[in-house]
Amino acid sequence: MKWLHYGALLLWMSLSGAYAQPPISFGREWQFAQYLADKEAVTEAVYVLERLEPLAQTNAQRDSLNYFRGWLAYTSKDLTVAHRKLLSVSATSPFYTKSRYFGAYCLAFVGNRDSARVAMQTLPTPDSTFRELKALQLGGLALLQRRYADYEAQRQSFTYRSYALVNEQQRLNRYDSTLRAEKRRSPLVAGLYSAALPGLGKIYAGKTKQGIAAFLPILSLGLLTYEGLRKDGPRSARFIGFGSLFTVFYVGNIWGSILSVKVKRNEFRREYDNKILFDMHIPVRNLLN
Amino acid sequence: MITRFCLICTFLCATCLTNGQSLAQWWLQQADSLAGAGRFFEAGIAYDRVGFEEADSAARLSAVFGKVHCLKQQGRFAPAVQYLNGEVTNIYPDSVLLVLRHEQITCAYLAGQFENALSLLERLPYLHPDRPTETPLTRVVRILSLNELQRWPEAGAAYQQLLAQAGADTTKTPYRQLPRLKSEQKAERLSTFIPGGGQFYAGKPGEAILSILVQSAGLYFGVTNFLAGYYLSAWGVGAALFGSFHAGGIRRSQNLVKEYNSRQVRQFNETVKKEVLKQVDK
């Protein structure tokens, strides 16, 4: 009889276990999101984490959640969400150091350079390598903002001894020299050059092919205008038509030369900004990922 | 004392036996009902939970098929291929692995990964040497993938095989009349020496006439100005217009041939697709 009772009890427990809704715990859901992220199901992992937010009761849970949401956003290149979530991880979290470095880098990458500087000034430095890493981040940011004196100050902390940092430190030094030596070309001079000889302003700005390409049609139109003037006189439709076209192209080329100085300068800056950001990123990944 | 001991044992055994399994079962039921309601994204996550709860291989397999079904319903074929890559493991028997691989091949085709679909198909006989790996579905995927890659002789041979296996008439096949593709090089040459010739060749007589007209206008302007003594205008306007429209005409004729060819290929592939599906339906 007793054994019958035990059997019934076992059956009841099995059935109740099979049909009851499983309790949802923060830790288990976090592990599940991790499981999904490991399987590269990032959209699904984000969905699970978003539904987990109301369950985060303690600071530690909120930190874990913010870190993971931020990290997933970083891996899927949604850097605006990434820096917002990563920088809200508190100092008591085991993810704090990693979150701060990646969050500050994301801020710098999306162009919030002043906010990035504030975030980078409070980066944690548990040892000498991290002190150098912090200096490298602040130095890189100083270069992005073209604050050469600040870069000089940060560079004093570079020892060039850490394998994870030495290449990037040397490259930042090179960028510093190149950026300082950047020739400041004047839009006004470019405009004057193009007024004197069409296309010359673009060559001065550093766009040689564009300069030649601008010179040839203007020369052709100039010759056609001259032919119209010489053969048919100043009141002829030929002279007025070609003359008008020549004027439009001539003035347009002067304006284009002025703009091309700015375009070339932006291209140069963008190229170096990308290089600097790349060299800020690599050591953070190597040391913290 | 003995009773208490037995009760503790019963409780521990029941908990261990039912906890993981029942959770997995619960999530499987949830996933099925979500999928039934058309909520495929949420259902996909619920199926993932079954794998996460370390279900037995039967429940896990149901979850795998469910997840793939959900991904397919969402049109996420490439993630389905990737997901199946992780799931095709040795925990399943050979027969099940074969079904999973067939599923992966179908998803690869639907994702437009034709090379991948063919490569997965080629591997089947080596991975499952003891079983027949060909099914009507794999035959269809092979023919259609070869077709998409324009490997028509191989596609034709595979189609013949399909007809033979279906007991159908092997003489009636769309591969007897392959699409006639035009040569871009020929169009380029024609347009170089005969203005508008490339466009005519590409089957666009309207564009050909327009091209002839604008090139002629440039030429006419150049010649008349030259004869009137406006040498610079003849060169700077007439010759420049003629040259520009001539060069543009050459490039345009090449693009038209490209468009014509891709249209022909698309039409042919559609015809083959219909024929193949008709054969499979029989």
Side-chain angles (χ1 to χ4, degrees):
Chain A
M1 194 61 187
K2 238 181 217 174
W3 291 108
L4 197 68
H5 285 149
Y6 294 147
L9 184 63
L10 183 63
L11 185 70
W12 176 78
M13 286 178 86
S14 307
L15 289 175
S16 63
Y19 291 104
Q21 180 165 358
I24 294 172
S25 77
F26 182 89
R28 193 73 179 146
E29 286 297 286
W30 203 83
Q31 281 174 357
F32 177 54
Q34 183 74 57
Y35 168 86
L36 290 171
D38 290 344
K39 285 179 166 282
E40 294 177 33
V42 175
T43 322
E44 285 87 346
V46 169
Y47 176 83
V48 170
L49 289 176
E50 274 171 0
R51 288 168 66 95
L52 197 52
E53 268 170 32
L55 285 178
Q57 303 286 332
T58 64
N59 278 341
Q61 287 177 339
R62 274 189 286 273
D63 283 339
S64 301
L65 197 58
N66 282 329
Y67 159 73
F68 202 4
R69 260 307 266 117
W71 185 250
L72 288 178
Y74 164 78
T75 52
S76 53
K77 297 186 176 65
D78 185 358
L79 299 188
T80 311
V81 174
H83 74 69
R84 216 177 50 237
K85 294 285 179 187
L86 288 171
L87 290 175
S88 55
V89 174
S90 71
T92 51
S93 167
F95 305 113
Y96 179 65
T97 305
K98 184 176 177 180
S99 301
R100 293 302 291 179
Y101 275 90
F102 275 98
Y105 171 77
C106 290
L107 258 179
F109 191 93
V110 296
N112 294 346
R113 306 273 155 83
D114 289 327
S115 310
R117 194 149 59 93
V118 173
M120 281 178 184
Q121 275 161 352
T122 57
L123 286 174
T125 51
D127 58 32
S128 61
T129 308
F130 277 92
R131 271 196 292 281
E132 268 196 76
L133 180 63
K134 180 181 173 182
L136 186 121
Q137 296 299 308
L138 280 165
L141 193 70
L143 283 183
L144 286 173
Q145 295 185 304
R146 308 295 186 262
R147 297 152 66 111
Y148 301 115
D150 283 0
Y151 178 72
E152 199 56 50
Q154 294 302 330
R155 174 192 188 156
Q156 303 306 316
S157 311
F158 295 176
T159 60
Y160 308 99
R161 281 203 291 268
S162 169
Y163 76 96
L165 298 165
V166 62
N167 290 333
E168 285 74 21
Q169 287 170 338
Q170 284 167 350
R171 277 202 291 269
L172 283 190
N173 285 341
R174 278 206 296 279
Y175 303 152
D176 175 48
S177 315
T178 315
L179 288 170
R180 281 174 200 252
E182 182 195 355
K183 282 184 188 167
R184 295 250 166 198
R185 292 192 169 91
S186 156
L188 182 69
V189 174
L192 288 173
Y193 275 153
S194 268
L197 182 66
L200 194 61
K202 292 196 176 185
I203 295 171
Y204 163 76
K207 294 196 168 277
T208 311
K209 285 179 188 169
Q210 275 190 21
I212 296 166
F215 173 72
L216 291 175
I218 293 172
L219 174 72
S220 304
L221 283 170
L223 290 172
L224 291 170
T225 311
Y226 167 71
E227 189 181 56
L229 177 69
R230 193 171 60 85
K231 291 223 167 203
D232 301 338
R235 293 187 178 196
S236 65
R238 187 181 286 269
F239 172 73
I240 293 168
F242 285 130
S244 306
L245 273 176
F246 171 77
T247 313
V248 168
F249 275 71
Y250 178 79
V251 174
N253 179 251
I254 293 172
W255 180 239
S257 298
I258 292 168
L259 287 182
S260 68
V261 171
K262 288 182 183 167
V263 169
K264 186 72 185 175
R265 191 187 294 161
N266 287 342
E267 281 174 4
F268 178 81
R269 287 186 172 187
R270 218 170 17 248
E271 182 192 339
Y272 274 87
D273 283 0
N274 288 340
K275 285 180 177 176
I276 294 163
L277 283 166
F278 180 78
D279 281 316
M280 286 166 71
H281 191 203
I282 295 296
V284 174
R285 278 201 78 104
N286 286 345
L287 288 169
L288 287 158
N289 194 16
Chain B
M1 189 66 188
I2 293 170
T3 311
R4 196 180 291 169
F5 175 74
C6 287
L7 271 170
I8 290 166
C9 285
T10 306
F11 178 77
L12 288 174
C13 283
T15 308
C16 291
L17 282 170
T18 59
N19 198 22
Q21 298 305 321
S22 63
L23 263 181
Q25 285 299 332
W26 192 86
W27 281 117
L28 196 57
Q29 283 170 5
Q30 283 293 306
D32 288 340
S33 75
L34 284 167
R39 293 167 63 186
F40 296 109
F41 181 73
E42 289 92 336
I45 295 175
Y47 283 123
D48 278 323
R49 285 185 192 273
V50 178
F52 174 67
E53 296 296 348
E54 292 168 2
D56 59 58
S57 61
R60 193 184 165 100
L61 186 64
S62 303
V64 170
F65 282 117
K67 173 80 184 180
V68 173
H69 171 70
C70 289
L71 287 170
K72 285 201 294 194
Q73 286 294 328
Q74 293 171 81
R76 296 169 66 194
F77 302 114
V81 176
Q82 192 190 334
Y83 173 76
L84 283 164
N85 260 338
E87 291 300 328
V88 178
T89 55
N90 288 332
I91 62 163
Y92 302 116
D94 195 52
S95 58
V96 172
L97 281 178
L98 182 62
V99 178
L100 286 176
R101 288 199 170 102
H102 281 162
E103 194 68 57
Q104 193 179 19
I105 287 162
T106 314
C107 290
Y109 170 74
L110 291 171
Q113 302 171 358
F114 306 118
E115 291 279 8
N116 189 22
L118 286 173
S119 145
L120 290 167
L121 273 169
E122 297 305 325
R123 282 157 56 188
L124 283 183
Y126 301 101
L127 293 166
H128 304 276
D130 304 328
R131 347 185 132 257
T133 53
E134 285 273 302
T135 64
L137 184 72
T138 58
R139 279 182 215 116
V140 169
V141 170
R142 183 188 300 279
I143 296 166
L144 297 181
S145 298
L146 286 167
N147 234 25
E148 294 287 347
L149 296 168
Q150 296 184 31
R151 286 161 60 178
W152 288 317
E154 292 164 79
Y159 187 73
Q160 289 274 0
Q161 217 178 338
L162 180 77
L163 290 180
Q165 274 157 352
D169 182 4
T170 53
T171 54
K172 284 182 183 171
T173 138
Y175 292 95
R176 285 191 174 277
Q177 209 170 2
L178 289 174
R180 280 188 175 179
L181 300 186
K182 294 187 175 178
S183 154
E184 281 180 47
Q185 212 176 10
K186 195 171 175 183
E188 184 194 342
R189 280 198 204 127
L190 276 169
S191 273
T192 306
F193 296 108
I194 310 164
Q199 285 91 329
F200 261 119
Y201 173 68
K204 293 278 180 184
E207 283 205 28
I209 291 164
L210 189 68
S211 177
I212 291 166
L213 283 177
V214 290
Q215 286 185 54
S216 305
L219 206 58
Y220 173 77
F221 187 89
V223 171
T224 49
N225 274 267
F226 186 81
L227 293 175
Y230 293 103
Y231 303 116
L232 289 173
S233 297
W235 180 253
V237 179
L241 275 179
F242 174 74
S244 305
F245 283 116
H246 185 69
I250 294 170
R251 273 201 301 277
R252 179 70 186 151
S253 66
Q254 284 173 310
N255 285 339
L256 286 174
V257 166
K258 234 181 251 175
E259 281 172 22
Y260 173 86
N261 286 346
S262 77
R263 215 167 35 242
Q264 292 292 310
V265 169
R266 219 169 31 244
Q267 276 172 6
F268 179 72
N269 285 351
E270 281 305 313
T271 313
V272 171
K273 210 181 277 181
K274 277 180 196 157
E275 289 295 319
V276 167
L277 293 176
K278 215 188 287 172
Q279 290 303 328
V280 174
D281 284 343
K282 280 180 189 173

